[in-house]
Amino acid sequence: MSLSRRGLLAAGGAVGALAATAAGSGGAATAAPAAGRGHGGGNGRGRVRTGFDRLAADGYALLKGQKVGVVTNPTGITSDVRHIVDVMHPDGRVDLTAVFGPEHGFRGTAQAGGSEGRYDDPATGLPVYDTYLKSGQPLADVFTASGVDTVVFDIQDAGARFYTYIWTLYDCMEAAALAGKRFVVLDRPNPVTGRAALGPVLDPAFATFVGRREIAQAHGMTVAELALLFDREFLERPVDLRIVKMSGWRRSDFFDTTGLPWVPPSPNMPTPETALVYAGTCLFEGTNLSEGRGTTRPFELLGAEGIDHRWAAAANALDLPGVAFREAYFAPTFSKFQGKTVGGVQVHVHDRAAFDPVRTGIGLLVTAKRTWSGFEWRSDNWIDKLTGNTRVRTMIDAGADTDEVVGAWAADLAAFRAVRKKYLQYH
């Protein structure tokens, strides 16, 4: 495969921080270490410098001569908490002409399952286009209509397959290829580390917007690494892809060690601690229990009417690594059981290095079903979309224990880990 087809920067085609280097075996352009401070970012507060910080430090050389559109949301910020769109818009070194908003919108005004539509941003006057639930040729047509030459992606991920921004990334890459646009991914940390991939791998028969392709439930990758994997393994038409790596990030880093500010990437992802449990406890979206939406601890509080202390006792009896469960009562202000007091558990992670969110989620499902007679799966079998197969639901219904369910995906996970390894960019 030729270098030009994979979007490598020509030697000497970018200067300073964006020297032309191959991204491991990935073949996309990456940023070499940058010196000094970036315009609007890299102010020395944090050990980790994001892809945007490094792009800006190089004077946006990678975007020179291009009409640029940015796929982003409120998480696309600098280390001094300014939005990258607000930083780039007045800067004469970059020709920013459009913004593309995902689920929840560019400025983050929409709740789950919503977006902001097409409008002109009041702060900058830039046209904002809606990408939510668009893919393929319709999304390619949006990119064409916007008049941009390069589409830039900068959104904070949460590390789970069913967190939809990575599928916005996938859809936008596919659409950029169809529209003949260059695609640049500005990397940000996986907030729950990039140490390992965990959980079941999606069966393509269950592909939806909460899982387009065959990756693990907790993928253990950054968005730039996922972009490389998507381009090489899944896209029918390769995109002209460039990535700008972070500096200072290690695979063992949790978000609070990076020195970067946290912005909730969606309304129900308020803290990095939410992201830590999300890859497992989000599975309760597929049940009739509350997953804690409408509380101050979504995905850490789980429960339903009629549940009592027996669930927490059964979950603690599993002796799952790094976690304990407290009997808890709460009244969600919206979503399931709105305004009603329900019983359940609060998930307390006491050793996050040992904690396995997916095993924990399975253990909680198993014990909830065994201790509460009212347990039901959602009638649309949403649990199959979240887990990417029918096995989790059918095995739990058949009485399988936690280890049996987890063991059922071992071979698929090993195969994914082998593929994943080829695209990892950090140690």
Side-chain angles (χ1 to χ4, degrees):
M1 191 160 292
S2 69
L3 297 184
S4 60
R5 184 178 177 189
R6 284 303 185 195
L8 270 172
L9 294 176
V15 297
L18 296 178
T21 58
S25 62
T30 66
R37 296 181 178 183
H39 176 72
N43 61 9
R45 293 179 185 173
R47 173 173 57 80
V48 173
R49 304 182 76 202
T50 68
F52 177 79
D53 289 338
R54 303 184 74 198
L55 176 75
D58 193 55
Y60 307 105
L62 183 60
L63 306 180
K64 185 177 181 180
Q66 300 282 302
K67 291 185 181 298
V68 176
V70 179
V71 183
T72 191
N73 70 356
T75 66
I77 60 167
T78 64
S79 54
D80 55 2
V81 300
R82 288 187 290 164
H83 199 282
I84 67 167
V85 168
D86 298 326
V87 171
M88 286 192 290
H89 176 250
D91 194 314
R93 296 174 297 176
V94 56
D95 187 8
L96 181 62
T97 61
V99 181
F100 305 100
E103 184 179 4
H104 306 293
F106 158 48
R107 295 292 186 182
T109 65
Q111 256 289 353
S115 60
E116 293 173 337
R118 167 70 178 89
Y119 68 101
D120 291 338
D121 178 47
T124 61
L126 290 169
V128 180
Y129 299 86
D130 188 6
T131 72
Y132 183 48
L133 300 182
K134 295 182 178 68
S135 61
Q137 193 59 52
L139 184 53
D141 292 342
V142 171
F143 289 159
T144 299
S146 73
V148 303
D149 304 308
T150 293
V151 177
V152 174
F153 182 95
D154 189 1
I155 294 179
Q156 175 64 55
D157 183 37
R161 183 183 62 231
F162 33 63
Y163 205 57
T164 60
Y165 295 133
I166 62 171
W167 304 115
T168 296
L169 169 66
Y170 179 85
D171 290 343
C172 287
M173 289 175 65
E174 180 182 56
L178 290 170
K181 309 298 182 182
R182 192 172 63 159
F183 201 86
V184 175
V185 179
L186 307 180
D187 213 6
R188 289 186 180 269
N190 184 321
V192 296
T193 79
R195 292 174 302 163
L198 303 167
V201 176
L202 179 83
D203 179 336
F206 293 88
T208 67
F209 193 47
V210 293
R212 290 269 193 245
R213 300 304 303 246
E214 304 91 298
I215 67 172
Q217 188 166 307
H219 50 71
M221 303 178 78
T222 70
V223 288
E225 291 172 338
L226 283 167
L228 293 170
L229 184 149
F230 292 163
D231 187 44
R232 292 297 184 85
E233 303 292 334
F234 298 138
L235 290 183
E236 293 185 8
R237 178 186 307 216
V239 68
D240 183 1
L241 174 64
R242 323 291 171 99
I243 68 170
V244 185
K245 292 170 59 174
M246 297 174 282
S247 64
W249 189 74
R250 299 179 296 247
R251 304 208 73 82
S252 60
D253 285 345
F254 289 91
F255 193 87
D256 63 1
T257 69
T258 65
L260 297 172
W262 176 263
V263 173
S266 57
N268 296 293
M269 190 66 62
T271 69
E273 288 74 24
T274 319
L276 183 62
V277 301
Y278 176 77
T281 56
C282 184
L283 296 179
F284 280 84
E285 284 188 358
T287 74
N288 61 338
L289 282 78
S290 167
E291 63 275 11
R293 293 180 188 273
T295 76
T296 59
R297 290 288 182 177
F299 304 106
E300 295 177 60
L301 285 168
L302 309 165
E305 289 185 297
I307 295 181
D308 59 21
H309 65 279
R310 288 172 291 182
W311 186 21
N316 282 319
L318 296 177
D319 197 26
L320 294 167
V323 66
F325 307 96
R326 181 183 67 86
E327 175 188 358
Y329 298 89
F330 56 96
T333 59
F334 63 87
S335 193
K336 300 172 185 173
F337 303 106
Q338 179 177 353
K340 298 179 180 180
T341 298
V342 301
V345 300
Q346 182 175 356
V347 180
H348 291 267
V349 178
H350 57 78
D351 183 352
R352 60 188 183 181
F355 176 64
D356 180 333
V358 184
R359 177 182 288 272
T360 298
I362 296 299
L364 285 167
L365 288 171
V366 167
T367 52
K369 184 172 176 62
R370 291 179 179 177
T371 58
W372 181 48
S373 61
F375 180 94
E376 294 179 356
W377 304 109
R378 257 174 56 172
S379 59
D380 59 359
N381 284 338
W382 185 244
I383 188 67
D384 297 348
K385 309 298 193 302
L386 294 173
T387 60
N389 59 73
T390 63
R391 286 181 299 184
V392 168
R393 174 176 54 83
T394 57
M395 289 183 72
I396 291 176
D397 282 347
D401 63 24
T402 302
D403 288 342
E404 289 172 327
V405 177
V406 172
W409 62 63
D412 292 342
L413 180 59
F416 171 72
R417 285 174 170 172
V419 173
R420 166 185 174 271
K421 186 176 181 180
K422 295 187 291 184
Y423 302 103
L424 300 183
Q425 301 297 303
Y426 308 90
H427 299 292

